[in-house]
Amino acid sequence: MNKNKIEITSNCLKVIVLLIMIIDHIGMFTFEKIEYDTYYLLRSIGRIAMPIFAYLVVQGYFYTKDLKRYVFRLFCLAVITQVIIFIIKFLCEVIFYTRVLDICNTLNVVFSYTFSIIIILILDNRKISNNSIIDVIIKTSTLITIIFAYIKLNIEYELRIPFIILGFYIIEKLFMSKEGKLLHKKEYKTYKRKILEKIIYLISIFMILYISIIPIKQTPGCKYATLGSIVLIALYNGYKGKNSKWGQYLFYIIYPLQYIILYLATLKIWKLEKRWKNER
């Protein structure tokens, strides 16, 4: 790595994007109690998170040591997160009689990450079964089930996630070297000579993101803030960073946990505010 330049490892990128996500969710949970400009700023910053998560998911697909375990972990995370969201919805509707958050009426975005990776597995023609007929049946039925899920179920971000992840996947494949490594993953000295490839690589990613936000009906600032994720992707140096079990499972722990913490914190703030008003 070149120490004279600002670079971000995979682990560092995960920490940054988790912080961005928490900022976004603070705005989501507290929008009734904060000024609109503050809410707008928090949610605009939060738009950067989803594309980075999608990018990291694709990187995980190419570089994980055990792809089956990787998909299984994503699916388990999606299920655990959804259970927590259901609990929050129950608390809102039955116990505290507060508003039901929009996220409570959708399948969380991690399901979409998981579905997208499974689609890539099928497109890559990776064997699920040694029997070719059974392999085709499993892949076909799985693909039909995923398509049906997107048609019938309300999944967060809808088809934007598959579009972005498939786009990132195609870009990674196009930029693979003869040795099977991605051009932007080579040693930094070698990679410096590939500056043209990196520019094309980043422009390609930018275009995928730009196309994905065109149909969105949001205020321009919030809508186009999504494109800010390209800055962090450009700074990513292709290295994983220091190995740490805590770092490896940081995303899997914090992602579902922050929903509970932020929801309970919001309830506590509302109760304190109500008590303060009553005392006055």
Side-chain angles (χ1 to χ4, degrees):
M1 288 186 287
N2 191 327
K3 295 181 179 179
N4 297 321
K5 292 195 175 184
I6 299 173
E7 299 171 352
I8 300 175
T9 64
S10 175
N11 288 338
C12 183
L13 190 56
K14 286 177 184 177
V15 173
I16 293 171
V17 76
L18 282 170
L19 292 174
I20 292 172
M21 176 195 67
I22 291 171
I23 290 171
D24 178 52
H25 288 173
I26 288 172
M28 178 181 69
F29 276 95
T30 63
F31 88 95
E32 292 177 332
K33 301 296 179 181
I34 59 178
E35 295 292 331
Y36 175 76
D37 289 344
T38 304
Y39 168 78
Y40 183 75
L41 176 62
L42 294 175
R43 298 312 304 272
S44 295
I45 293 172
R47 297 310 89 198
I48 297 172
M50 182 274 286
I52 301 295
F53 279 133
Y55 183 77
L56 288 171
V57 165
V58 174
Q59 298 306 302
Y61 174 83
F62 280 104
Y63 294 103
T64 184
K65 294 179 181 179
D66 191 330
L67 194 52
K68 290 181 180 179
R69 287 185 64 184
Y70 180 68
V71 175
F72 181 70
R73 286 200 303 268
L74 277 177
F75 180 73
C76 289
L77 176 62
V79 172
I80 292 169
T81 303
Q82 198 63 42
V83 169
I84 290 172
I85 290 172
F86 284 149
I87 293 171
I88 290 174
K89 184 176 182 180
F90 175 79
L91 293 174
C92 286
E93 291 181 337
V94 179
I95 299 178
F96 298 111
Y97 303 104
T98 58
R99 67 180 176 87
V100 178
L101 299 169
D102 291 339
I103 57 165
C104 294
N105 299 316
T106 64
L107 282 181
N108 71 82
V109 68
V110 187
F111 277 109
S112 208
Y113 294 146
T114 308
F115 293 157
S116 300
I117 288 298
I118 292 172
I119 292 171
I120 290 175
L121 277 167
I122 295 171
L123 292 177
D124 255 350
N125 199 28
R126 292 182 182 254
K127 286 187 177 182
I128 298 173
S129 171
N130 293 326
N131 187 304
S132 57
I133 296 176
I134 294 175
D135 188 64
V136 170
I137 292 172
I138 292 173
K139 288 178 179 178
T140 304
S141 59
T142 301
L143 190 58
I144 291 172
T145 302
I146 291 173
I147 293 171
F148 183 80
Y150 276 105
I151 293 173
K152 292 294 184 180
L153 300 177
N154 186 13
I155 303 176
E156 192 177 0
Y157 287 104
E158 299 174 331
L159 289 170
R160 284 178 64 202
I161 300 296
F163 174 79
I164 291 172
I165 285 183
L166 287 172
F168 286 174
Y169 161 77
I170 292 169
I171 290 169
E172 297 295 331
K173 292 284 282 188
L174 289 174
F175 278 79
M176 277 188 172
S177 67
K178 293 179 181 178
E179 292 79 18
K181 295 181 180 180
L182 303 185
L183 289 173
H184 67 293
K185 300 293 180 185
K186 289 182 177 181
E187 289 297 327
Y188 202 85
K189 288 182 180 179
T190 304
Y191 178 52
K192 278 185 71 176
R193 297 195 294 269
K194 301 292 184 179
I195 188 66
L196 179 61
E197 284 91 341
K198 181 163 187 177
I199 292 171
I200 298 172
Y201 174 82
L202 292 173
I203 290 173
S204 301
I205 289 178
F206 181 88
M207 291 307 300
I208 289 293
L209 295 177
Y210 182 77
I211 294 169
S212 74
I213 65 174
I214 289 174
I216 302 174
K217 295 180 180 179
Q218 287 180 343
T219 48
C222 197
K223 178 177 179 176
Y224 291 105
T226 301
L227 300 176
S229 58
I230 196 71
V231 176
L232 291 174
I233 292 174
L235 292 174
Y236 174 51
N237 63 12
Y239 291 89
K240 184 178 180 181
K242 292 183 180 179
N243 285 323
S244 167
K245 285 192 175 182
W246 279 106
Q248 184 179 359
Y249 292 103
L250 182 69
F251 172 69
Y252 298 99
I253 296 169
I254 292 180
Y255 190 86
L257 194 61
Q258 49 95 27
Y259 282 104
I260 299 174
I261 294 171
L262 290 175
Y263 180 70
L264 293 177
T266 303
L267 283 177
K268 186 66 176 177
I269 291 169
W270 287 354
K271 285 183 178 181
L272 290 173
E273 184 184 33
K274 188 175 180 180
R275 183 186 300 173
W276 181 72
K277 287 181 179 180
N278 290 335
E279 289 176 352
R280 290 183 66 186

